[in-house]
Every structure is written in C-alpha cells, then in structure tokens.
Amino acid sequence: MNSPVAQFAISGRMGLYEASHNHWGQSFKPESSLTSMILEPDQKVEDSLHGTPETSKSSDQETNKPNDKVLRRLAQNREAARKSRLRKKAYVQQLESSRLKLTQLEQELERARQPGVHFSGSCGDSNHGIPGASTNTGIAMFEMNYNNWVEGQNRQTRELRAACQAHVTDLELRMLVETGLAHYDDLFSMKALAAKSDVFYLLSGMWRTSAERFFLWIGGFRPSELLKILRPQLYPLAENQVLAICSLEQSSLQAEDALSQGMEKLQETLAEALVSTSVGSPNVADYMGQMASAMDKLEGLANFVLQADNLRQQTLQRMYRILTVRQSARGLLVLGDYFQRLRALSSLWTARPREPA
C-alpha cells in the first residue's frame, strides 16, 4: 500500500502531465494564433510584390495607354479605310451605270438591225459615245468604258491636287498615286480587248479627240514625248534621278523606233500582198489567195498595239520607281492636266466660229 506522501506525489505528476498535454494540443489547432502569425507575413509580402488591386489597375492603364504616334497611325488607317470604302462604292456605282448603258446600247443595236430603222450616233470630238455606223458590240463597249475612264481620271486628278495642297501624309499620297497608276493599267487592258474586236479602229484614234489624235502613235501616246513633258515639271531632281530618267528616255526612244520600223515593214509586205500579178481581169483564185495572205499578215497588227501599250505601261512604272512619292504625285497631276487640256482644246477647235463659204 502506498503511503499518503507517495499518492500525493503521483497525483501531482499526473496533473502536471494533463496541463502540459492540454497546452500543446491547443497550440497546433488550425485556428490557433500561430497559423495566423505565419500566414499574415506571407500575405503582406504578396501584397507588396503585386500591389493592391487599385494600384495594379492604375499601373496597367498607364502602361496600355497608346502614345501619340500610335494614335496618329490608327487615325491614318481609319482614314485610308474610309477612302477605300468610298472608292469601292464609286466603282460599284460605275459598274452599275455601265451595265445600264450596255443594256440600252444592246437595245439600240437590236433596233438598228431591224429593216427600215436608221441608226445614228456621235463619236470623236463631240463626245466619246457610240460611233456613227458601228454595230461592233466590243468597240461600242470600249467607247462607253473609255468615257467612264476619262471621267475617273478627271476625278482622280482633282483628288490628287487637293491632297497635295492639303499636305497629306506620304502614306495617303502613295495610295492615291498607286490608284492613279492602276487606272492607266485599266486603260491598257480595255485597249487589249478592243484590239481583238477591231484593231483598225483602235489605231485610227477615233475614240480620242482631234487634238489627241494629232499626237497619236500606234494607238496611244509616245512614252519619250511624255518624258520630255514631265521632266521639267519635276525639278528639283537628284543627280541619280536625272541620270535614270535620261536612260529611260533613251531606251524608250529605241523601243519606239523598233516598233515603228516593224509597222513600216508590215505596211510594205501588206501592200505587196495586195498587188495583183495579172494585168488583165483578176483571177478569182489569185484574188482569194491574196486576201488570205493579207489576212495572215494582219494577225500581227494587234500585237504591235499590245507591245506599244506595254512600253507605255513599263515607262510609267519605272518613273514611279525613280521618283519619290510626292514627285510621282506631281507627275500624275501633270499628265492628267495635259490630257484634259488636249480634250478642252479639241472642244474649242470644234466650236470655233467658221467663216461663211
């Protein structure tokens, strides 16, 4: 049996153990103050690294705020897109107008084919309308498209002049210049189709005014002559630009001479093919043979027109590469004004007062 002293000592040790056990059990509970002491410093560190939501949001807004250069670029892109939409709308309206005119033209041609109906029209100097006695649908379509092309060139010349006076950016000016060059490409494509319909009509220049026909060369303008007109209007030019333009003028002259000699040779061989070998009444077989030979030689005539237009197109493209964008814009203005004045001169010449016979 234990003594009272021993029992007291045992009970004292048991009480101390239970008190110690209760203290450590409470210390490692999840909701204890130790957990909050560990987590709070980590939260403060994270807040200091990433900032408060308000501070982070304000910093992002300052970082993402576009600068003045980006804003100008965006404004230029919007303006370019707006002008592109306007050009597309005008092109669609032009196509619709051409479709209506073509429908009307086909109706008139159908009436002209009916017996007892007299068909007449206008051409050349007064306007670019339907040729007087032509029932060639391809040529009639060409004249109608060319009339629209002239109106488009006048409109582009006005837009280009306004842009130069307003001192627009080089990007906007480049778009107008490339649109103007593409407009000339459209003309060359139209002429290629017209040459298949009636190359003689195209070579005669009846689709142009009288003053324009005075300078006609194989269905169009001489590239070397236009270079002589343009060069004084483009100064000041850098030395390398002057040398490049002179070289272009020289190569254009050589190509023109080669095409002109080819045309002369074709005329000679065509005349020889048409000359009858018999002195008396012509033999029907010989006559048909001569016509067949002449027709074969004429097959190459349209190719001369295509080569001449290709030379004109290449000259415009090479000038664009030689000049700056503002010089190119000035050059297109000079060309537009030049052709417009030729047409105006033709109108004045046609309307001049004439002395009575």
Side-chain angles (χ1 to χ4, degrees):
M1 178 179 291
N2 294 333
S3 64
V5 174
Q7 291 177 354
F8 177 79
I10 292 171
S11 63
R13 286 196 296 270
M14 290 296 293
L16 181 63
Y17 171 78
E18 290 175 356
S20 175
H21 176 75
N22 292 336
H23 173 74
W24 286 106
Q26 292 174 356
S27 298
F28 285 96
K29 288 181 180 178
E31 59 273 8
S32 67
S33 61
L34 181 61
T35 305
S36 62
M37 290 174 62
I38 294 174
L39 292 177
E40 286 177 0
D42 290 344
Q43 186 66 39
K44 292 178 181 178
V45 171
E46 185 176 354
D47 291 343
S48 65
L49 289 175
H50 300 287
T52 61
E54 292 79 5
T55 305
S56 177
K57 183 178 181 180
S58 175
S59 176
D60 291 342
Q61 289 176 349
E62 290 296 329
T63 303
N64 295 330
K65 183 178 180 181
N67 55 32
D68 293 340
K69 184 176 181 180
V70 174
L71 290 174
R72 286 196 302 269
R73 180 66 60 83
L74 291 174
Q76 291 174 1
N77 290 342
R78 285 194 297 270
E79 181 64 17
R82 185 185 69 84
K83 291 183 177 180
S84 178
R85 288 192 297 270
L86 290 176
R87 285 195 296 270
K88 182 178 180 181
K89 182 179 179 181
Y91 179 69
V92 171
Q93 291 176 347
Q94 179 179 333
L95 288 179
E96 180 63 20
S97 177
S98 299
R99 185 185 67 81
L100 293 175
K101 291 180 179 178
L102 179 60
T103 301
Q104 182 182 3
L105 176 63
E106 290 176 345
Q107 292 174 353
E108 293 179 354
L109 290 174
E110 186 62 29
R111 289 196 302 270
R113 294 189 182 100
Q114 297 176 4
V117 178
H118 176 70
F119 179 70
S120 63
S122 57
C123 65
D125 300 330
S126 57
N127 56 48
H128 302 285
I130 304 168
S134 174
T135 57
N136 188 325
T137 306
I139 293 302
M141 186 65 180
F142 168 76
E143 286 200 341
M144 182 176 59
N145 288 335
Y146 179 70
N147 185 39
N148 293 332
W149 186 91
V150 170
E151 293 176 359
Q153 186 191 39
N154 293 337
R155 182 178 63 255
Q156 289 180 1
T157 301
R158 291 192 298 269
E159 293 176 354
L160 196 58
R161 180 175 289 105
C164 291
Q165 293 174 350
H167 303 289
V168 299
T169 63
D170 285 354
L171 177 62
E172 293 175 297
L173 202 58
R174 184 180 300 276
M175 290 180 60
L176 292 174
V177 169
E178 291 179 353
T179 300
L181 291 174
H183 196 59
Y184 279 99
D185 292 341
D186 292 340
L187 175 61
F188 300 139
S189 299
M190 289 160 46
K191 290 174 65 180
L193 293 176
K196 295 178 181 179
S197 296
D198 189 350
V199 67
F200 287 111
Y201 167 84
L202 200 63
L203 287 170
S204 69
M206 293 304 296
W207 47 285
R208 288 181 176 269
T209 59
S210 54
E212 290 177 298
R213 289 199 298 271
F214 181 69
F215 297 97
L216 197 67
W217 174 77
I218 312 183
F221 58 83
R222 280 184 178 269
S224 60
E225 293 297 327
L226 284 188
L227 289 176
K228 292 178 182 178
I229 295 172
L230 283 175
R231 190 168 55 180
Q233 306 296 325
L234 299 176
Y235 284 107
L237 291 168
E239 184 177 356
N240 61 327
Q241 289 179 315
V242 174
L243 293 175
I245 293 175
C246 290
S247 176
L248 177 59
E249 186 176 332
Q250 186 65 29
S251 61
S252 297
L253 276 172
Q254 293 175 354
E256 290 169 16
D257 290 342
L259 285 175
S260 296
Q261 292 174 7
M263 285 287 289
E264 292 175 0
K265 184 64 176 177
L266 177 61
Q267 290 175 349
E268 292 177 2
T269 56
L270 184 60
E272 292 173 357
L274 293 175
V275 173
S276 176
T277 56
S278 59
V279 180
S281 59
N283 184 278
V284 175
D286 291 343
Y287 177 82
M288 295 304 297
Q290 290 170 350
M291 292 298 104
S293 176
M295 288 292 292
D296 290 338
K297 297 182 186 306
L298 284 178
E299 291 295 331
L301 188 57
N303 190 43
F304 279 99
V305 177
L306 297 179
Q307 291 185 50
D309 276 346
N310 183 63
L311 177 60
R312 287 182 267 264
Q313 187 178 31
Q314 292 299 318
T315 301
L316 291 175
Q317 293 292 339
R318 288 182 62 183
M319 281 293 290
Y320 176 59
R321 291 192 291 268
I322 292 171
L323 302 175
T324 66
V325 62
R326 298 198 174 271
Q327 289 172 334
S328 298
R330 206 185 320 157
L332 284 179
L333 276 177
V334 172
L335 287 183
D337 288 340
Y338 175 71
F339 291 123
Q340 192 173 21
R341 289 169 184 172
L342 280 177
R343 291 189 286 267
L345 178 62
S346 299
S347 299
L348 292 173
W349 176 257
T350 303
R352 73 189 187 281
R354 294 175 174 81
E355 297 181 359

